[in-house]
Amino acid sequence: MDAHSRGRGENVDPADQWVLNPDTGEYELRLGHSSPQSPIPGPRGPRPPGPGKSGAGNPRGRSAAPGRAPGQPGRGTGPGRETPEPEAPGREVPPQRRRRSTPEEPPGRRGRRPVKRKGKARKVLLWGSGTLAFLVLATGVGGYLYLEHLNDNITSVSDDGAGTGGFSKDKAINILLIGTDKRTGSGNEGYGDKGSAGHADTTILLHVSKDRSNATALSIPRDLIVDVPDCPTEQEDGSQKVIPGSPGVRFNTSLGQGGRTPSCTMRTVTELTGITPDNFMVADFNAVKTLTSAVGGVEVCLAKDIDDPDSHLKLPKGTHTIEGEDALAFVRTRHSVGLGGDLSRIGLQQQFLSALMRKLKSNDTLTSPSKMIKLAEAGTEALTVDSQLDNINKLKDLGLELGKLNVKNLTFTTVPVVDNPAEKVKATVVLDSAQAPQVFDLIRNDVSFTEVKQQKKKEAAAVAARLEGEKAPASEVRVRILNGGAVGGSAQATLSWLQVQQGVTKSENAGNAPAPLARTTLEYAPDQADQARRLAEIMGLSGSALKPGESVTNAQGVPAMTLTLGKDFKGAGVSLTPPDKAPDDIKKSTADKVECAQ
């Protein structure tokens, strides 16, 4: 029973309790006919902690499915419905599930801010899961109890140490969105592979820039040949088991096969791209159905008639608003678009997600408490998240970060691939050796695929200025070299290259760094700036790799700079200056534009 129906009957939808106060211009939650209205306050301020958790965790399990966007909700019955969806038996992917035992105590409320009649609701209602969490947090005891209800909806699976430990508000964010072709849930018998444990059928790595000005959604083809690494995996009894890796297999086998969980898909993505995801989210088929229904459908465009008996999609040429079964059929269609393969379906899914993003960011969604509460219910019901993202407060924080994005700077692209040359009958693809590394470098270095306004021009100029000025002769450069995550032997190989080929004779191998680094750095004292500029020129270092700091005494007792070779180090003489923009020939689209499926 949800919080709003306690003591007042069980058939009251909490969305119906939101009313617009014409005197204040604010939405208010009316908990009962005799209860005072609770206005939505400003976004900051403490309040006394609410009551403890009341009620057992939701016992239902869920599994994964395709077509999922960041923070997007999916299947759920909604509080107060008379007839919940039937239980779906046999949900094995992901196998181990847990409920969070004690929710984080939500932040509170403060006194109402000065009334701003015009546009108040739009400022309060931000976007996605973060918006919903904020709304319920802001409405006192009733809101707190509803928050507990949402917490009980969430299912989590161990990340098995495969991620970074969770996203941070002050860093770029990488979220792995996974969908499976496993048949689970009522009404989904016609989709996916019968009897299969499921695969990573649809996978998107969502990268959100550090300054939140742009994002890139990178689709990973399911038929891409990759090396799946060994995967340490937590079992249902709490024990650890290493699932053996598989070289040269389809990417989609990184999930569900041989007991592999989403953390194994996460490790495979890291192995493939060099990017370690912060978190993962897995959704089931019903996510697409219930989410699109919650927002009143999304608008898509077809350049031709489609009648696909496999996906059950039958729509004429033109623009359509689709939801429910039609929406799921749309994202599952492949034989009737493009060349009829998985890459064509990826394009269709990207079009759908773009339309969904536009609808989620639209005013008729953001200013509708009814829709927003339905989204919260659907999202927490349909999502399976990693153990670092296992409660509504964390989802709220992620939703608020994602809500800062402008859809015109959300780029959809696909890992560049070519047909597998080892096959006579083309069924799989391999990385495009020329373009794929460029795409991965752009994301690793937080470079936008769209033209965005530089929000930190002064900081960027200061970083670039580190490379400007007088450069010392190579013979005067004194540097210690540490291996901080590069391939074994890199420090010695770089030392030999610097001394023999570049004339940097005052250099030495100082062994391994105390801790690994993602990127190569050069630390130097102020009076060594000319040496740092020369070494940066020789090594191909960017201004961001130069770290003004202190010198360290070398083996001869003389002050020296410290060059730490990070995980990005590719070898002596290989430039480490990151790209500053996406190549023009990378195929991409942005979420603000309507494109018609061919």
Side-chain angles (χ1 to χ4, degrees), residues 497-567:
W497 179 76
L498 287 174
Q499 291 183 340
V500 176
Q501 299 186 40
Q502 303 300 321
V504 184
T505 56
K506 297 177 181 178
S507 51
E508 66 181 50
N509 182 352
N512 292 326
L517 297 179
R519 301 184 63 182
T520 297
T521 62
L522 175 62
E523 184 175 1
Y524 60 96
D527 61 352
Q528 297 171 321
D530 58 341
Q531 296 183 45
R533 287 190 283 267
R534 175 61 69 191
L535 189 60
E537 180 183 65
I538 293 172
M539 295 288 298
L541 301 178
S542 66
S544 60
L546 273 59
K547 305 296 182 185
E550 300 178 353
S551 61
V552 178
T553 302
N554 66 8
Q556 289 73 42
V558 180
M561 301 182 295
T562 300
L563 174 67
T564 304
L565 307 179
K567 294 179 181 179

Side-chain angles (χ1 to χ4, degrees), residues 315-367:
L315 289 174
K317 174 183 177 180
T319 301
H320 305 273
T321 298
I322 59 174
E323 62 178 284
E325 288 289 345
D326 283 342
L328 180 57
F330 186 87
V331 299
R332 297 291 299 165
T333 292
R334 58 174 173 147
H335 297 302
S336 300
V337 292
L339 298 176
D342 184 52
L343 295 178
S344 297
R345 186 179 68 165
I346 285 176
L348 204 65
Q349 291 170 347
Q350 291 175 348
Q351 181 201 354
F352 172 81
L353 290 174
S354 294
L356 180 58
M357 291 296 182
R358 292 193 296 271
K359 191 61 178 282
L360 286 172
K361 295 279 280 185
S362 67
N363 287 334
D364 66 327
T365 298
L366 296 179
T367 57

Side-chain angles (χ1 to χ4, degrees), residues 33-46:
H33 295 293
S34 60
S35 301
Q37 291 180 339
S38 302
I40 301 175
R44 297 187 299 274

Side-chain angles (χ1 to χ4, degrees), residues 51-115:
K53 188 165 186 151
S54 59
N58 188 330
R60 288 183 294 174
R62 282 163 293 282
S63 69
R68 210 99 201 147
Q72 89 178 35
R75 186 176 70 82
T77 59
R81 278 197 184 175
E82 295 181 6
T83 307
E85 284 190 11
E87 174 81 1
R91 303 188 175 196
E92 296 89 12
V93 179
Q96 66 271 53
R97 306 185 181 279
R98 62 173 63 121
R99 301 290 178 185
R100 194 176 58 82
S101 58
T102 305
E104 290 184 8
E105 189 161 278
R109 58 183 293 176
R110 58 183 281 183
R112 195 166 64 201
R113 300 173 71 182
V115 172

Side-chain angles (χ1 to χ4, degrees), residues 94 156-160 162 174-178 261-264 266 277-282 384-387 389:
S156 68
V157 179
S158 176
D159 69 351
D160 297 311
N174 293 293
I175 305 294
L176 190 63
L177 310 171
I178 308 171
T261 67
S263 68
C264 195
M266 184 182 274
D278 300 304
N279 301 96
F280 64 71
M281 294 182 178
V282 187
T384 294
V385 299
D386 68 87
S387 48
L389 197 63

Side-chain angles (χ1 to χ4, degrees), residues 451-463:
E451 293 293 333
V452 295
K453 184 177 180 181
Q454 180 59 257
Q455 295 187 354
K456 298 184 178 180
K457 289 184 178 180
K458 291 183 179 179
E459 180 180 337
V463 168

